[in-house]
Amino acid sequence: MAKYLLKRLFYLILTLFLIATITFFMMKLLPGTPLSNESKLSHTQIQMIYHTYGLDKPVWQQYLIYLAGMVRGNFGLSFQFDNQPVSYLLATRMPASFQLGIQAMIVGVLLGIIVGGIAAIRRNTWVDGTMTVISILMISIPSFVLAILLQYYIGLKAGAFPVAGWGNFSYTILPTIALAGSPFATTARFIRTEMVDVMSSDYIELAKAKGLTSTGVVYHHALRNSLIPLITLIGPLTVNLMTGSLVVENIFAVPGIGEQFVKSITTNDYPTIMGITMMYSVLLVVVLLITDIVYGIVDPRIRLQGGRS
Amino acid sequence: MENNDTENLIEVKNLKINFDTYAGKVKAIRDVSFHLKKGETLAIVGESGSGKSVTTRSLMGLNADNAEIAGGQIMFHGEDVLKKSEKEMQQIRGKDIAMIFQDPMTSLDPTMKIGRQIAEPLIIHNHVSKKQAMAQALEMLKLVGITDAEHRINDYPHQFSGGMRQRIVIAIALICYPEVLIADEPTTALDVTIQAQILKLMKELQEKIETSIIFITHDLGVVAGMADRIAVMYAGKIVEYGTVDEIFYNPQHPYTWGLLNSMPTLDTQSGELSAIPGTPPDLLDPPKGDAFAARNPYALKIDAEQEPPFFKVSDTHYAATWLLDPRAEKVTPPEAIAKRQAQWAKMHTDDGELVRPATPLNTADNLDDSDRE
Ligand SMILES: Nc1ncnc2c1ncn2[C@@H]1O[C@H](COP(=O)(O)OP(=O)(O)OP(=O)(O)O)[C@@H](O)[C@H]1O
Ligand SMILES: [Mg+2]
């Protein structure tokens, strides 16, 4: 197990290094410069600013300086946001994004399990059909459309929840729903497929032959076996939430990472782009590592491979 | 099978089952009757698709959703199982009638400890405490021959070999001491030595637990040492039934001849092994007359017109073939079958005392338990 973890850790660091490198050079290929919006600056002023940020050095030197800083946890100063350190920006904006992300994940996955499970048990009935249509809609409607619809009809027209901004819990509800659409639909479809598969397996037949009620069969045998593979979906769902948050946070004016990320890209704020990218990457690889470990813990077939067998 | 014996545990009368499919109605079971006596083992043999599983699953009310009972009765304890509600069936399943499935690799829940899986029927039916159920599960685990049962009770299915898993499946089936055990090809997925061990175990446990067994197989060779009686199924019907000796040494139906000839044995070594040529009929539209006629070299003209009724061979032996009609011309069965019948005649010489030849078909003897991982 220790050896396995060490190996995973090595690949994790390698992945992060590759992401850092690729992002750095892709970012340099973005059109425009950090100062392209500041037309009043003279050439000498621009050169001065470039010099303070080290942007006059050759790109490969910038890259090495950047890597060296990053390893020490220093992502540099933001060009745009009042010259604040990027790490400080991240720290202040993380809580809102995390809260939304976790809320959306919990709501989406739980609803998805319930809906997908019911669809599987009532397979090929109108219940199943309706649920399939809903989840296909939720997958195909982009989250920003859902967000705007929610904002307009529930926020503005019905006045049920705040239209935008950030404050008490009620502010989180609409963005959470908008973000939860994708994990909900993905989970529902996954669980339905998984459960239909499990329900047709021999051990379910045996469970019925034991005299279990249909609820007993689902509760004691089908559910557990369908839920375990769901763990592998957490990684992709995290990615969904990250990309979803970019637009959803903007629409609802949530002071989160996603909103800042979009701003920093439009203004070529290199240190912030890099900082956020790296933070997302670290989050994702850690989520993937944790889900792998958890999978190994809950699935007896994998659990024992390292130990006795 | 007409039988008025009061000891009949199960009596299936004129069972008819159809399946609704996109292509039409599959007439899977077409008028099947048989009975099962207390303590006996009845083997149901027949090719794939002949309806063995559908017949036995209907005893437990476990057929697919698209199954339609088109007629008949299944009497168990004086009540018609087919008329029972799902709730009433749940009380019977696993308690009075239990089942062993074909593939031990897939019939255990991979995420549940085997002890819990064995104890589950007890908890459902006998309402015993979990602790007590686990204690009984441990006893049963020992009974089915799992060594080091105290530790292995907490293992998961993937930690056992195929043969061991089938022992666990048997433990699950027997934990409530059912009156009837349905074994649907319980050894087909196992290799030959392990097959023999499982069969031997089933016989031993049958005596201890005093259960009747319905043993399903498509391999007559497995049946010899196991069963008391045999029912031969073809295309949704029983075509011949009798005691093991009657079916093995005095078979009357050409389909039974075909099955016997496709079975490897030592005493009737004819050199070649012949599978029955041709394929079973399409049950969406079963043929008029005898369903086996198209594959039957001995078919008579009437076989294409009219279904043969059961002709009585002995009190316990019936066969549905026109060849037994007194008006039919006598035919000579295949050589190997003729040899069997000659043996049968020898067995019934003089005072009618039945002298059964030592049967090498019984492979369940003299084997050690060595299929542990
Ligand atoms: N759910 C179903 N829908 C349609 N047809 C079915 C269904 N279940 C069984 N059948 C049909 O019923 C017939 C009998 O099937 P059954 O499973 O009883 O055969 P079997 O004798 O057990 O064969 P095997 O040796 O392969 O297990 C087959 O023709 C099969 O195709
Ligand atoms: Mg079958």
Side-chain angles (χ1 to χ4, degrees):
Chain A
M1 190 67 182
K3 203 175 142 201
Y4 170 76
L5 277 182
L6 226 63
K7 205 169 105 185
R8 283 299 303 257
L9 216 59
F10 169 75
Y11 280 114
L12 191 146
I13 290 166
L14 186 70
T15 313
L16 289 177
F17 167 76
L18 286 176
I19 292 174
T21 307
I22 293 170
T23 319
F24 183 87
F25 289 104
M26 292 225 311
M27 186 177 64
K28 288 290 173 189
L29 293 175
L30 279 179
T33 70
L35 302 177
S36 48
N37 296 341
E38 318 278 331
S39 51
K40 288 193 210 85
L41 292 177
S42 73
H43 183 71
T44 351
Q45 280 173 315
I46 289 177
Q47 286 310 314
M48 265 173 62
I49 294 173
Y50 272 19
H51 188 72
T52 35
Y53 287 109
L55 292 175
D56 53 347
K57 293 197 175 88
V59 172
W60 65 267
Q61 265 186 25
Q62 293 182 32
Y63 170 68
L64 290 183
I65 291 169
Y66 185 78
L67 271 192
M70 201 181 65
V71 170
R72 278 177 263 121
N74 176 10
F75 293 96
L77 301 180
S78 165
F79 296 168
Q80 289 296 327
F81 299 90
D82 302 328
N83 269 357
Q84 287 167 329
V86 170
S87 40
Y88 172 77
L89 276 180
L90 292 183
T92 52
R93 288 185 163 248
M94 216 131 69
S97 291
F98 262 138
Q99 188 185 348
L100 283 188
I102 289 171
Q103 281 180 198
M105 184 75 102
I106 292 173
V107 170
V109 169
L110 279 187
L111 276 182
I113 291 172
I114 295 170
V115 167
I118 293 175
I121 294 165
R122 301 257 168 280
R123 183 157 52 111
N124 299 333
T125 64
W126 65 270
V127 183
D128 184 21
T130 314
M131 287 173 176
T132 307
V133 170
I134 292 177
S135 53
I136 288 178
L137 272 180
M138 288 299 221
I139 281 180
S140 37
I141 297 179
S143 51
F144 71 87
V145 176
L146 186 61
I148 291 169
L149 290 176
L150 287 168
Q151 192 172 42
Y152 184 73
Y153 286 103
I154 298 179
L156 197 64
K157 282 267 173 115
F161 300 108
V163 172
W166 194 245
N168 58 23
F169 181 68
S170 67
Y171 283 87
T172 68
I173 291 177
L174 290 185
T176 299
I177 298 175
L179 279 176
S182 164
F184 159 75
T186 315
T187 308
R189 289 173 61 82
F190 183 88
I191 286 289
R192 185 197 176 272
T193 317
E194 202 55 45
M195 193 98 144
V196 164
D197 208 40
V198 166
M199 287 301 278
S200 68
S201 62
D202 289 352
Y203 59 85
I204 294 297
E205 183 89 9
L206 182 73
K208 288 181 195 160
K210 285 176 174 178
L212 272 119
T213 59
S214 50
T215 2
V217 171
V218 171
Y219 188 72
H220 290 293
H221 297 280
L223 210 51
R224 193 183 152 89
N225 280 286
S226 328
L227 284 183
I228 289 176
L230 184 66
I231 296 168
T232 57
L233 209 61
I234 301 291
L237 287 182
T238 310
V239 176
N240 275 1
L241 283 179
M242 285 172 181
T243 48
S245 72
L246 298 187
V247 273
V248 170
E249 284 182 11
N250 267 292
I251 290 168
F252 289 101
V254 175
I257 306 263
E259 193 230 20
Q260 189 180 38
F261 195 35
V262 175
K263 264 190 208 150
S264 60
I265 291 173
T266 52
T267 58
N268 285 301
D269 185 350
Y270 298 151
T272 311
I273 297 176
M274 281 305 290
I276 295 178
T277 308
M278 289 321 291
M279 192 207 70
Y280 274 170
S281 311
V282 170
L283 185 67
L284 184 62
V285 287
V286 168
V287 164
L288 288 178
L289 181 62
I290 290 176
T291 52
D292 271 8
I293 294 172
V294 169
Y295 198 90
I297 291 173
V298 296
D299 191 325
R301 284 161 295 187
I302 296 176
R303 189 193 311 162
L304 279 138
Q305 248 149 43
R308 82 194 181 100
S309 93
Chain B
M1 294 172 206
E2 45 278 12
N3 190 301
N4 305 316
D5 203 329
T6 46
E7 275 188 312
N8 284 351
L9 198 52
I10 288 185
E11 251 185 271
V12 177
K13 295 177 190 163
N14 306 103
L15 184 65
K16 295 191 182 93
I17 299 176
N18 300 331
F19 287 99
D20 273 320
T21 67
Y22 290 115
K25 261 192 192 89
V26 177
K27 291 149 198 93
I29 305 301
R30 308 180 301 136
D31 200 352
V32 161
S33 303
F34 65 89
H35 65 271
L36 178 71
K37 281 189 247 176
K38 230 180 156 68
E40 79 167 341
T41 300
L42 170 71
I44 301 181
V45 298
E47 286 171 306
S48 188
S50 53
K52 308 180 295 290
S53 297
V54 173
T55 303
T56 44
R57 247 152 240 239
S58 61
L59 302 183
M60 294 181 95
L62 271 183
N63 268 321
D65 294 337
N66 61 337
E68 172 212 351
I69 308 288
Q73 286 182 316
I74 298 176
M75 302 307 289
F76 178 60
H77 287 311
E79 286 173 62
D80 187 356
V81 166
L82 295 176
K83 293 213 174 73
K84 286 188 184 288
S85 68
E86 168 66 19
K87 246 202 142 55
E88 290 169 311
M89 285 315 293
Q90 281 164 7
Q91 319 252 309
I92 293 179
R93 282 180 212 143
K95 181 168 193 287
D96 302 320
I97 307 179
M99 194 148 178
I100 305 172
F101 294 90
Q102 175 171 346
D103 189 355
M105 300 315 273
T106 55
S107 43
L108 293 168
D109 185 337
T111 60
M112 193 186 267
K113 289 178 179 173
I114 59 136
R116 181 72 216 281
Q117 297 194 48
I118 298 172
E120 212 173 14
L122 276 179
I123 297 169
I124 307 167
H125 295 296
N126 297 7
H127 308 290
V128 298
S129 73
K130 215 175 145 186
K131 211 175 144 197
Q132 209 182 331
M134 290 306 283
Q136 275 177 261
L138 180 63
E139 285 312 304
M140 190 50 79
L141 205 53
K142 288 179 185 162
L143 205 58
V144 297
I146 304 274
T147 43
D148 195 18
E150 282 87 354
H151 293 107
R152 306 225 68 189
I153 194 165
N154 287 319
D155 282 350
Y156 287 92
H158 73 275
Q159 292 165 277
F160 294 87
S161 66
M164 284 294 148
R165 287 194 210 187
Q166 197 61 307
R167 287 170 191 259
I168 294 164
V169 173
I170 292 173
I172 294 173
L174 296 181
I175 189 84
C176 288
Y177 284 64
E179 292 175 88
V180 181
L181 176 65
I182 298 169
D184 194 344
E185 314 217 16
T187 59
T188 310
L190 303 170
D191 59 46
V192 183
T193 33
I194 300 183
Q195 232 179 53
Q197 293 167 18
I198 295 292
L199 293 177
K200 188 175 159 211
L201 174 73
M202 284 180 63
K203 279 197 79 165
E204 286 168 11
L205 290 176
Q206 178 177 27
E207 263 168 47
K208 278 191 196 140
I209 287 177
E210 293 178 351
T211 178
S212 311
I213 298 182
I214 297 180
F215 189 93
I216 298 173
T217 177
H218 55 250
D219 179 5
L220 263 172
V222 173
V223 162
M226 274 305 284
D228 302 304
R229 290 188 304 124
I230 299 176
V232 180
M233 269 192 96
Y234 183 74
K237 281 177 176 274
I238 290 177
V239 294
E240 180 165 11
Y241 62 90
T243 64
V244 168
D245 286 330
E246 285 166 337
I247 297 298
F248 271 93
Y249 295 104
N250 193 25
Q252 299 297 322
H253 199 288
Y255 179 63
T256 315
W257 296 348
L259 284 183
L260 283 166
N261 272 350
S262 59
M263 174 188 83
T265 67
L266 297 177
D267 65 336
T268 55
Q269 236 164 17
S270 56
E272 79 261 21
L273 264 183
S274 50
I276 306 171
T279 49
D282 183 4
L283 293 177
L284 277 169
D285 183 22
K288 204 172 119 191
D290 186 353
F292 188 57
R295 301 168 73 185
N296 183 3
Y298 304 94
L300 305 171
K301 238 189 249 147
I302 189 170
D303 277 321
E305 301 293 323
Q306 206 179 330
E307 269 186 77
F310 272 115
F311 290 94
K312 181 173 173 175
V313 183
S314 81
D315 280 348
T316 49
H317 186 186
Y318 290 77
T321 167
W322 284 117
L323 294 180
L324 288 175
D325 191 284
R327 290 162 291 177
E329 219 175 287
K330 277 272 160 284
V331 298
T332 332
E335 195 195 325
I337 300 298
K339 265 193 209 162
R340 285 174 181 273
Q341 289 176 343
Q343 212 159 10
W344 175 259
K346 245 191 273 163
M347 282 153 74
H348 289 83
T349 44
D350 313 332
D351 47 7
E353 176 81 10
L354 193 111
V355 193
R356 198 167 165 214
T359 166
L361 303 169
N362 183 359
T363 43
D365 297 328
N366 313 322
L367 279 152
D368 60 336
D369 298 50
S370 58
D371 74 319
R372 235 184 135 220
E373 264 173 335

